[in-house]
Amino acid sequence: MRELFSYASYRNLWISTFISSVGGSAFPIALAVVVLDGGGSATTLGLVLGSRVLSTVVFSPIAGVWADRVRRKYVMFFADFLRGILALVLVFAAVPS
């Protein structure tokens, strides 16, 4: 196992995947906190989380075709970069003024 981490590319991929997984797992929790602290009800929270799942179902076929035609490295970078930007937008949108 140590030999794998001696390769910089593998190490960077592993670290970035770990960070992305932690962020992806924390996002629904943070979203629930923001909705409920903002005065939303359980119904509102259900609609927000349901729309998140619905967007995955709708956009997955389109993204799959796109991902098959573009280099994997660019797809991974663009997807994680866009995901990070959207998370930052949500953080600053949720901060009370």
Side-chain angles (χ1 to χ4, degrees):
M1 184 76 168
R2 282 189 165 192
E3 298 86 28
L4 288 175
F5 285 100
S6 66
Y7 297 103
S9 295
Y10 177 78
R11 188 175 52 244
N12 291 339
L13 176 66
W14 193 88
I15 291 170
S16 63
T17 302
F18 176 76
I19 291 170
S20 179
S21 295
V22 169
S25 300
F27 182 73
I29 297 167
L31 192 59
V33 168
V34 168
V35 169
L36 294 176
D37 281 351
S41 65
T43 303
T44 306
L45 178 60
L47 288 172
V48 168
L49 294 176
S51 66
R52 189 168 172 256
V53 171
L54 183 63
S55 66
T56 301
V57 170
V58 170
F59 290 116
S60 288
I62 298 165
V65 170
W66 178 72
D68 286 341
R69 296 176 186 202
V70 180
R71 291 185 60 194
R72 289 183 190 139
K73 186 176 183 178
Y74 296 135
V75 172
M76 289 174 55
F77 174 79
F78 180 73
D80 285 341
F81 181 77
L82 184 61
R83 188 175 176 182
I85 295 296
L86 291 174
L88 283 175
V89 167
L90 283 174
V91 166
F92 289 115
V95 173
S97 25

